[in-house]
Amino acid sequence: MAASALSSPAVSRTPNPKLAAAPPQSPSTRRAVADAASAAAAAAAADSKARFEAYNRLQAAAVAFGEKLPIPEIVAIGGQSDGKSSLLEALLGFRFNVREVEMGTRRPLVLQMVHDPTALEPRCRFQEEDSEEYGSPMVVASAIADLIKQRTESHLRKIQAAVSSKPIVMRAEYAHCPNLTIIDTPGFVLKAKRGEPENTPDEILSMVKSLATPPHRLILFLQQSSVEWCSSIWLDTLKEIDPTFRRTMIVVSKFDNRLKEFSERWEVDNFLSASGYLGDNIHPFFVALPKDRGTISNEEFRRQICQVDIDVLRHLRDNVKGGFSEEKYGSHIGFSCLRKYLESELQKRYKEAAPATLALLEQRCSEVSMELTRIDSKLQATSDVSQLRRSAMLHAASICTHLRALLDGAADPAPEIWGKTTEEEQMHSGIGSWPGIYMSVKPANSTLKLYGGAAFERVMHEFRCATYSMECPQVSREKVANILLAHAGRGGSSGLTEAAAEIAREAARSWLAPLIDTACDRLAFVLQSLFDLAMERNRNKDSQYQNAEDMDGYIGFLAALRCSYYKFVKDLSKQCKQIVRHHLDSVTSPYSHICYEISLSGIGSVANSMNRFNHFTGITSFDLSDSGSALEEAQENMPPKDQQHMTPPTKGNESKDVLRESQLTVPETPSPDLPSDIHGGKKKDNGIPNDGGPRKRHARMAAYTNRNQHNNSIIGADDIGSKSGSSYSTICAISARYFAKMREVLIERNVPSALNSGFLTPCRERLFLALGFELFAVNDDKFMDMFVAPGAVDTIQNERQSLLKRQKILLSCLNEFKNISRAL
């Protein structure tokens, strides 16, 4: 260095033709050039500060109003104790004990540093929570740290969490800080602190990733110099956020701890190059800061920062053999180099983003103006009842139109998102399996997500499958005996058929009625689920009611509309249950023709057994218990088997010979083949037996006996009275046939048409009328209760004031960026 200094005068004596040709500048010219350069530098600094101030105000508005604006920002990330807090204090130019409050562990801090030459002492102001306004300036460093701690703990208690992504915004104006904005994030940790939830490390990692991922944000990644690049845990996390390091500035902190390990030039150069772990074009910054945490003045703190930079460079030059590649790495060593780079890089990004920010601000201002117009129309509507009625009726009519479209068949909105499978319908409706069905009922298309008319038909098919999977329930012998013997005691020739029919009726009423109620409830759930779909269609589709106003803000009216629709569907369900129950009562009535159709048309062993048993005269002495014929022998009052058909002559039952004789002597004896006499005796229109006096008593008895002979001559089978097991199974078989027939008539003829006409037809034809009658056929005061609840107008007014304030801030930012764009 000394040699080159000595040789420089000799070189300067050699005349240069170009320099000799230039006339010497006068002192006034030199002063003018210097003044112009100073003015250009001042103008550039003023433009830079104007951009910085404009972005700071825009950032404050974004934080206050939740705006998602692509503002260029620097996000500082790294592991806990990697030196982020110390770096922030160095950038600010003063200490405020930020490390003692551990602000970076639980809530982000947005530091807006403003270079103000007039601020000889730092002035710090905090943005109010949920507002764009800043509080009073704070000067005492300890008060700043205490406020950060108090706000962090208060917010975390409010949301009941260990960490939060909602930032604290602090604006620092100082003569010794740069124009820079940095978002300090919680430091990465491997294990939660004592007293914190176990998932705190994962929550911190997730939050930091969400803050650093947006492409408009620069990443300032810090890592201690003691950590080797090959074993860096958080470097892998950084690669997940920014794989190419295009937005990343890497800072190796606490660089002075590593200096004593370097003795050769190649060792230093190898470490400064990151050994190829970061790529050829990535050059980290190497920073060391004062370790003294004692109470010192701000001026002394800044002096120590400069001294540490000087000491680091002196050590590399003097204490390392061969020094280091200063031309290559010198611009990346020391805090002062990092500070200049951060400020210049952020200003560069500000300048590049200004046009896009201007366009986005114009869009936001337009959106806020439209929102204000909507709020104003709301306020006006609260005093214009007729206009509000008209808008509400148009909205209700539009919803009804979409409901009809969904019932008639629609695929919008997407069934994959809004539809439900059969299992999901059962789960969401709270109606699980079908009552009395202990097997899984899987109708066709049960795994497809359906809604509307398609889901309605699937439930109908599921109901049919469930009903047909049910067999006639097993009946106890006691129940059969009670019914059968009671019928036998009333006399007549059809005791067994009547008993079997009564068993089938009771089973149908007991087992089919719950299935019908469940079907109605499931269908009602399908219809009620359509309201949300109709609302979604109304929001996304152009309604045929073009003049309908947006009613989304009227929560009370929308809730009343939903309740009215649910009530309408619930009433339909109740009516359908009554109608179908009426069909069930009709089918299971003793006067129904269903059982007699089976009785007359029955063939085979069951029919033969039925006929044989009907004409067994000893039915009252027959035993239906499990012991059967074994108990018959032990009964003392049971007549001998060879005399079972002998009955003493009584008033109502004479010997067969006498009956035949009387039959031959009475000319008006009815034919035994007449179906009208099948139950014994002709009746008058009013239902009273037409006895006719003593003259016709023998004729009726003869007809009864002749009919028995006629039936027995057709069957020609053994007497089954002594076979109790066979008779019990016969009754069960006959009951099963009756039950199946009743079920078939209900499911194939009555229920489908009743449910379709009971649910779908009213929804298509009189839904709007029903809703309109309940919602709009009221006086104005009651109608306005749906729109102007207590305090509703005040809420709308507050929302309007907030929008006005937001509009004012955005318009101010817009005008600033317009001026900045003109100056670019």
Side-chain angles (χ1 to χ4, degrees), residues 49 92-95 114-124 137-140 172-177 297-300 302:
K49 186 173 182 180
L92 285 168
F94 67 94
R95 284 178 171 169
V114 180
H115 176 70
D116 186 356
T118 64
L120 300 181
E121 292 295 330
R123 295 192 300 264
C124 298
M138 304 178 68
V139 179
V140 182
E173 301 170 356
Y174 195 29
H176 301 284
C177 73
S297 65
N298 293 334
E299 184 178 357
E300 175 62 19
R302 293 190 298 274

Side-chain angles (χ1 to χ4, degrees), residues 436-584:
I437 305 298
Y438 303 105
M439 63 177 62
S440 178
V441 180
K442 295 293 184 181
N445 305 312
S446 62
T447 59
L448 297 183
K449 291 181 175 288
L450 305 179
Y451 57 66
F456 189 95
E457 291 301 323
R458 183 175 63 186
V459 173
M460 292 289 292
H461 181 60
E462 185 183 354
F463 167 65
R464 186 179 291 107
C465 294
T467 309
Y468 275 115
S469 65
M470 174 184 288
E471 298 295 337
C472 183
Q474 190 72 21
V475 185
S476 66
R477 293 178 179 268
E478 288 79 4
K479 180 175 281 191
V480 172
N482 273 275
I483 297 175
L484 180 61
L485 298 179
H487 277 278
R490 291 199 294 264
S493 61
S494 55
L496 185 139
T497 55
E498 286 295 337
E502 184 62 30
I503 292 171
R505 293 187 197 105
E506 180 64 25
R509 284 190 290 265
S510 301
W511 294 88
L512 295 183
L515 290 177
I516 292 171
D517 290 346
T518 301
C520 292
D521 292 337
R522 285 281 303 279
L523 293 174
F525 172 77
V526 169
L527 294 182
Q528 288 179 342
S529 302
L530 295 183
F531 187 84
D532 289 325
L533 279 77
M535 292 288 291
E536 181 69 15
R537 282 172 61 93
N538 192 60
R539 280 190 288 265
N540 298 333
K541 278 185 170 290
D542 293 332
S543 173
Q544 62 175 322
Y545 304 96
Q546 297 296 334
N547 297 324
E549 294 184 13
D550 180 18
M551 304 294 289
D552 282 350
Y554 297 108
I555 306 299
F557 167 71
L558 295 179
L561 180 60
R562 180 187 294 270
C563 289
S564 296
Y565 175 69
Y566 283 2
K567 181 176 178 296
F568 177 77
V569 175
K570 187 176 180 181
D571 291 342
L572 291 183
S573 177
K574 184 178 179 181
Q575 295 170 10
C576 285
K577 287 180 181 179
Q578 293 175 351
I579 294 173
V580 180
R581 280 295 187 96
H582 174 73
H583 286 298
L584 177 61

